[in-house]
Amino acid sequence: MSKKLLVIGSVWPEPSTTAAGCRMQQLLGALLRFGYKITFATTASRTEYSLDLEKIGVAEVTIQLNHSSFDDFIKKLLPTIVIFDRFMVEEQFGWRVAEFAPKALRILNTEDLHALRKAREEASRKQSPFVTDHWKNHPMTLRETASIYRCDLSLIISTYEMEILQKELHIPSELLMHLPFMVDVSTISKEKFIPFDDRKGFISIGNGKHAPNVDAIKVLKQEIWPSIRKELPDADIHIYGAYLPQQVSQMHHPKSGFYVKGWTENVDVVLNSAKVLLAPLQFGAGIKGKLMDAMRTGTPSVTTTVGAEGMHKDLPWNGAITNNWKAFAQISVKLHQSKDLWETAQEQGLELLQTIYNRAFLQDRLEERVNQIRRALETHREQNFIGKLLQHQTMMSTKYMAKWIEAKNKSCT
């Protein structure tokens, strides 16, 4: 019997612009390796950065929201597994999958906890400290948690998010799996890194559609870069990222060494030329692709507790972590000047990759966990009473709302 897998995406994957796109590309690669015949479906429109999935052996399908054509599509496909990319997609299509492909294993790929990111952003805008109670009582947390319960397994990218889901919300560990970025560590070694003396300057990377990145660039420009430039008057910083808004583009100021470059096709090339990556993130969630890319290329990074959260367990960071902008600038200068400090940070990044992000180990764990649940899916669902309850209640309300929207749309045509 062929193993069919359907991924319902919120967008077409863009690995060259977002960490979420890289995450999806890694997941698809792993699932292809497991022998699944994969179909990727989404309601979204393509962009110039969208990954050509057919090139890697994944079928592409465009689907409609609130439309019975999806019911016919999934009944014909009869997938073994369905992956929802983000909880909003599960809200939209979960009831249809449960009704028309009831035997399919349902997996939620969270990317990060959207409610956590939202709650932190709101706290940051109000200039108030973030407290978990605000996140726990946030309306989006209720939606996201319900989605986790309705699925058979949720993939969680951050150790911190694994911890708060279990400790604060008491979600059973049987419904969760920690799966960070998966890196082929066999191709990475200190000998292959561009050495200290062949690099110069600083770099910052972030997609402009992501509010934490735009905020971080503002902090760099206003709080950190002037202090660095005072100590290193000839230093430059290059800001990269797709979809950078006008307010960021206007920060371009070569005279002060602040260069806004925009999107780069190959992030490794620009990272390999820089000595230090700067990421002064004040809010956000998940784990950060830019910091992972820095480790992969042997580029030390300076970030905040939110930036490094859930990424390094108890191991030393690939550079430095601080929330004080004066200290941030000082350690950034030291890393740029001291070869010994820089190489130590680089080695710590290598250790993190090998210990936490080893692709071969993580893929084996994923395959084993999926197979384990598939073998006893009925029992697994019986033990998830809250999930059954939510599936029943949500299916009724969402189903008839979707049917009402579909009938309304038909009457308007």
Side-chain angles (χ1 to χ4, degrees):
M1 186 172 126
S2 65
K3 300 192 296 182
K4 295 179 185 175
L5 187 143
L6 172 65
V7 179
I8 309 177
S10 57
V11 294
W12 293 102
E14 295 184 6
S16 67
T17 70
T18 67
C22 290
R23 161 72 156 187
M24 180 51 68
Q25 187 178 35
Q26 290 175 359
L27 269 179
L28 292 172
L31 295 161
L32 285 168
R33 178 179 167 271
F34 301 162
Y36 286 95
K37 185 178 179 182
I38 304 175
T39 300
F40 188 96
T42 181
T43 62
S45 300
R46 296 176 193 273
T47 74
E48 59 184 307
Y49 306 118
S50 298
L51 181 66
D52 185 346
L53 294 172
E54 291 185 345
K55 263 190 179 178
I56 62 170
V58 174
E60 301 177 346
V61 175
T62 300
I63 52 177
Q64 288 179 268
L65 190 60
N66 299 315
H67 202 278
S68 59
S69 58
F70 179 84
D71 307 342
D72 298 329
F73 160 70
I74 198 166
K75 278 192 286 186
K76 187 177 178 183
L77 184 67
L78 271 182
T80 313
I81 298 175
V82 176
I83 296 179
F84 305 101
D85 185 36
R86 299 174 175 86
F87 80 91
M88 300 83 77
V89 171
E90 189 278 333
E91 287 181 330
Q92 294 162 344
F93 291 96
W95 71 268
R96 292 183 185 273
V97 172
E99 183 166 336
F100 297 104
K103 293 183 179 179
L105 174 67
R106 298 188 294 271
I107 298 176
L108 175 63
N109 178 38
T110 59
E111 298 293 356
D112 63 22
L113 291 183
H114 289 54
L116 179 63
R117 174 155 43 89
K118 188 72 175 171
R120 281 177 167 165
E121 183 178 351
E122 289 171 1
S124 180
R125 283 179 178 167
K126 293 174 185 174
Q127 296 186 324
S128 60
F130 171 77
V131 290
T132 52
D133 280 353
H134 177 50
W135 164 71
K136 285 169 69 175
N137 295 305
H138 199 284
M140 191 179 281
T141 303
L142 302 179
R143 291 171 55 196
E144 201 163 17
T145 304
S147 184
I148 289 171
Y149 270 109
R150 284 192 298 266
C151 290
D152 301 308
L153 181 68
S154 290
L155 306 179
I156 311 298
I157 204 165
S158 156
T159 54
Y160 175 77
E161 292 177 4
M162 282 288 290
E163 183 182 332
I164 61 171
L165 286 172
Q166 292 175 86
K167 287 188 177 179
E168 299 288 339
L169 301 184
H170 307 292
I171 295 177
S173 60
E174 292 79 14
L175 299 179
L176 307 172
M177 179 181 179
H178 174 232
L179 188 72
F181 291 122
M182 297 178 277
V183 179
D184 184 2
V185 295
S186 67
T187 63
I188 301 170
S189 66
K190 189 176 179 182
E191 292 71 34
K192 292 180 181 179
F193 290 149
I194 303 298
F196 178 85
D197 294 329
D198 293 340
R199 300 178 182 230
K200 65 176 183 176
F202 300 85
I203 188 171
S204 184
I205 302 172
N207 187 304
K209 287 184 176 180
H210 199 50
N213 292 331
V214 175
D215 178 77
I217 296 169
K218 288 180 187 175
V219 170
L220 267 177
K221 176 72 171 178
Q222 297 164 8
E223 306 287 343
I224 297 170
W225 187 245
S227 300
I228 293 177
R229 185 75 171 182
K230 188 176 178 182
E231 295 294 320
L232 302 172
D234 295 325
D236 295 335
I237 183 166
H238 292 200
I239 311 296
Y240 290 94
Y243 309 112
L244 293 179
Q246 189 177 2
Q247 60 176 309
V248 171
S249 300
Q250 289 173 343
M251 294 180 194
H252 182 72
H253 194 254
K255 195 173 179 181
S256 63
F258 202 92
Y259 294 86
V260 178
K261 295 293 189 74
W263 178 70
T264 177
E265 189 172 358
N266 193 326
V267 72
D268 288 9
V269 170
V270 295
L271 276 167
N272 276 320
S273 66
K275 274 188 177 172
V276 186
L277 177 131
L278 306 181
L281 296 155
Q282 297 193 94
F283 55 93
I287 62 177
K288 315 306 179 289
K290 61 178 81 47
L291 298 174
M292 182 63 55
D293 290 335
M295 291 180 207
R296 286 192 307 99
T297 55
T299 309
S301 62
V302 185
T303 190
T304 58
T305 50
V306 167
E309 179 185 87
M311 289 191 72
H312 62 113
K313 295 185 178 177
D314 296 323
L315 295 171
W317 185 247
N318 172 46
I321 302 167
T322 178
N323 298 323
N324 179 287
W325 301 143
K326 186 177 178 182
F328 196 108
Q330 288 172 343
I331 191 61
S332 300
V333 169
K334 285 180 183 176
L335 275 167
H336 192 274
Q337 290 179 314
S338 170
K339 186 175 182 178
D340 289 343
L341 189 65
W342 188 88
E343 288 183 341
T344 298
Q346 189 182 71
E347 287 165 6
Q348 288 167 179
L350 263 177
E351 185 182 4
L352 285 170
L353 290 176
Q354 291 162 354
T355 307
I356 303 173
Y357 302 99
N358 187 321
R359 185 176 75 180
F361 171 74
L362 292 170
Q363 284 186 347
D364 286 348
R365 279 187 64 236
L366 176 62
E367 185 174 26
E368 183 183 339
R369 186 70 181 275
V370 168
N371 289 341
Q372 178 190 25
I373 296 174
R374 277 188 61 203
R375 283 193 296 267
L377 185 56
E378 204 172 308
T379 303
H380 182 79
R381 287 177 177 170
E382 283 296 325
Q383 293 170 348
N384 179 17
F385 178 78
I386 293 176
K388 287 173 67 180
L389 174 68
L390 288 168
Q391 189 68 255
H392 174 76
Q393 295 298 321
T394 308
M395 189 182 287
M396 293 302 102
S397 59
T398 311
K399 176 179 179 178
Y400 291 109
M401 174 59 78
K403 286 185 174 294
W404 178 81
I405 293 170
E406 185 176 354
K408 185 172 178 288
N409 289 341
K410 281 180 182 175
S411 67
C412 293
T413 55

